Amino acid sequence: GYLTDYRLSTVDKIDHFARSRGLQLLDVAIGALADEPGVASVIAGATTPEQVRANAAAGKWRPDPADLEELRCASATPSS
């Protein structure tokens, strides 16, 4: 299944990362994706005007190199 203990643990780690910086998970998701080389745009779904505003605001956060490294470590696939 998709919602494995490992994946849920990864989300918990990234959520902790976000909260420790006064951010929401959405800020980290959109900000980190937008900062990836070669990414011209992040397409995020929204069904309400509030969600559109939240998505647009989330793009304001930009990770520094240390943030990106911490996020990569938090989401790394375990070695076999």
Side-chain angles (χ1 to χ4, degrees), residues 33-53:
L33 285 172
D35 204 58
E36 286 293 315
V39 173
S41 150
V42 176
I43 300 172
T47 58
T48 66
E50 293 80 17
Q51 289 174 329
V52 172
R53 285 189 281 276

Side-chain angles (χ1 to χ4, degrees), residues 6-69:
Y6 170 73
R7 288 182 174 151
L8 292 172
S9 172
T10 299
V11 172
D12 285 342
K13 290 175 191 173
I14 297 171
D15 186 53
H16 175 72
F17 170 92
R19 291 178 187 274
S20 71
R21 287 159 176 77
L23 302 167
Q24 297 294 317
L25 194 53
L26 180 65
D27 300 321
V28 173
I30 290 179
L33 285 172
D35 204 58
E36 286 293 315
V39 173
S41 150
V42 176
I43 300 172
T47 58
T48 66
E50 293 80 17
Q51 289 174 329
V52 172
R53 285 189 281 276
N55 289 346
K60 294 178 183 175
W61 178 75
R62 289 290 189 248
D64 63 30
D67 291 332
L68 291 174
E69 181 60 26

